Amino acid sequence: MSQIENALALKNGALVAFPTETVYGLGADASNEKAVARIYEVKGRPQDHPLILHIASMDDITYWATAVSDYAIALANKYWPGPMTLIFNRSENAKDFVTGGQNTVGLRVPNHALALELLQECKKIGVYAIAAPSANRFGHVSPTTAVAVQEEIGAYLSAQDLILDGGPAQVGLESTIIDCTGDAPKILRPGAITQAMIEEATGMKVSEVNDSQIRVSGSLEKHYAPNAKVILNAQASEGEGFIAPADVATPPGAIRLASPANTDEYARALYSALRDGDAQGLETIAIIQPSGDGLAIAIRDRLMRASKGR
Ligand code: TXA
Ligand code: MG
C-alpha cells in the first residue's frame, strides 16, 4: 500500500505500526482520542504514560508546543530528522489523552524514508502528528523489525490496523529524550544523540547522564526486558545465552546470541538478540556490557533496566 492509503487508515482511526531508525512505533492520529486509547489497550500500558508525537518537520513544532527556546531550535536544526525527542510545554492541541495529563509534550521527526513519507501524507489530510510509543507490550523489548512487531502485538490488533515493513531499524535503541522546558537542555533518556552532541549544538553545558540517573516515567521498574532473566557482566554457564563484544570469547556450552564489533553494532543487534534468546526458550541471558561513553551509556541504561527484578 502507498503511504497515501496508510495515512488515510490513520485518519480513519486505525493503528499503524511503522518503522523508524530507532525502533518500530505503534502509531495513531494524535488528535483522535479513541485511536490513541487503543494504543494503550494494545500495549497494556498505564494511561498516565505520555506518548511521543512524531511530526513531519520542524515546522510542526509550534502546532503542538509553546515557548520553544532557541537552544531547542538549534537541536532540532542539527539533529532532526533523527533519534532525538524534545520535550516542550504543550499547546492546546496536545490533549491530556496523548500527554498522560502532563503539561508537556514530546516531539520527534524520525529519520526513516517510509516514516517521513507517511508523515507528509498525513499532514496533507489534517493529521498533524502520529502519536507512537515503541510497538511492544508494556515493559518488553522494543521491536526493531516488522516481524518482531507482529510477534509482540499482532494478536491484539484489529482487522483495520496495519504493520508497515521498513526493514531492520538502523539505530536499534530508542531516541534520546531531552527536556527543553528549562533554561538548559536536560537528558531524560540517553540515546544515539549524546551529551557531547547536545553540548556541541547548543553551546550549553548539559547535565551529565550517568548509569544510575533515571528520570523518564516508568523507568525504575523492570523495562526493555525479555522473558529470560538478564544477568550483567557475568560469564554465561552452560545452556545460558551470551551477548558480549566480539573480542570476548564464548564460555564453554553457552549460546552466543550476538558478537557486536563496535558500539553502533551493539545497539543495532541487542534487541533482536534478546528476542532470539526468548525464541530459543532460554531461561538466562548473560551480558557483557559495552564500555565507554556516548551510545554505550544508552546501551548500559537499557541493560540495567532489563536486568531488574523478575
Ligand atoms: O525512539 C523512540 O523514541 C521510539 C520511536 C517509536 O520513536 N519511541 C519510544 O516511545 O520509545 P515510548 O513511548 O516507548 O517511550 C517514550 C518515553 C516514555 O518513557 C515516556 O514516558 C517518555 O518518553 N515521554 C513521552 N512524553 C514525555 C513527556 N512529555 N515528558 C516526559 N517524558 C515523556
Ligand atoms: Mg517503549
Side-chain angles (χ1 to χ4, degrees):
M1 273 211 294
S2 73
Q3 298 322 316
I4 299 177
E5 289 167 280
N6 295 331
L8 272 172
L10 282 162
K11 175 88 183 163
N12 291 330
L15 299 187
V16 176
F18 64 99
T20 83
E21 80 281 33
T22 58
V23 300
Y24 274 67
L26 175 63
D29 172 356
S31 298
N32 183 328
E33 181 164 13
K34 275 200 190 132
V36 169
R38 288 195 50 236
I39 291 181
Y40 286 85
E41 277 167 34
V42 168
K43 275 193 66 100
R45 181 182 194 167
Q47 293 284 341
D48 59 348
H49 283 221
L51 300 178
I52 293 173
L53 304 194
H54 297 74
I55 54 178
S57 81
M58 268 182 77
D59 300 342
D60 302 318
I61 294 177
T62 50
Y63 183 83
W64 298 105
T66 60
V68 177
S69 61
D70 289 347
Y71 72 76
I73 297 291
L75 285 169
N77 257 321
K78 182 126 191 188
Y79 299 122
W80 276 353
M84 175 182 79
T85 297
L86 302 180
I87 306 292
F88 297 104
N89 290 306
R90 66 171 165 175
S91 77
E92 63 199 9
N93 294 315
K95 306 291 188 203
D96 282 349
F97 62 79
V98 283
T99 72
Q102 304 198 55
N103 285 323
T104 54
V105 63
L107 302 178
R108 175 162 112 81
V109 181
N111 186 18
H112 190 289
L114 189 159
L116 286 170
E117 202 184 327
L118 177 63
L119 286 163
Q120 276 145 17
E121 293 304 332
C122 277
K123 201 171 156 180
K124 289 182 196 162
I125 55 174
V127 174
Y128 295 110
I130 304 177
S134 51
N136 50 281
R137 295 280 291 167
F138 184 64
H140 285 195
V141 177
S142 298
T144 54
T145 64
V147 169
V149 174
Q150 174 63 37
E151 286 167 3
E152 271 286 320
I153 58 164
Y156 301 89
L157 295 178
S158 308
Q160 86 269 22
D161 300 332
L162 301 168
I163 299 175
L164 310 184
D165 190 346
Q170 286 305 297
V171 174
L173 219 59
E174 303 81 359
S175 62
T176 305
I177 301 181
I178 307 168
D179 181 351
C180 295
T181 63
D183 291 339
K186 246 194 320 204
I187 300 173
L188 301 184
R189 179 175 73 183
I193 301 298
T194 63
Q195 181 191 355
M197 291 166 76
I198 299 166
E199 291 182 342
E200 191 196 314
T202 62
M204 295 173 119
K205 179 88 193 113
V206 176
S207 54
E208 191 171 345
V209 253
N210 59 54
D211 295 6
S212 63
Q213 268 176 309
I214 312 161
R215 294 206 201 82
V216 176
S217 66
S219 53
L220 275 174
E221 67 261 30
K222 181 169 158 148
H223 226 79
Y224 308 104
N227 298 323
K229 181 182 162 81
V230 170
I231 53 173
L232 297 182
N233 298 329
Q235 290 295 332
S237 306
E238 194 164 337
E240 291 181 351
F242 190 59
I243 296 171
D247 57 359
V248 181
T250 309
I255 298 144
R256 189 75 179 228
L257 297 170
S259 304
N262 55 52
T263 309
D264 286 355
E265 239 181 75
Y266 202 123
R268 205 155 38 232
L270 177 62
Y271 288 161
S272 61
L274 293 174
R275 277 178 198 286
D276 186 17
D278 279 349
Q280 295 187 46
L282 302 181
E283 261 177 41
T284 303
I285 302 175
I287 302 181
I288 308 293
Q289 297 179 302
S291 56
D293 52 14
L295 187 56
I297 291 177
I299 296 170
R300 292 196 300 269
D301 164 77
R302 306 306 193 278
L303 287 174
M304 188 265 292
R305 296 181 211 192
S307 70
K308 291 251 170 212
R310 178 144 104 133

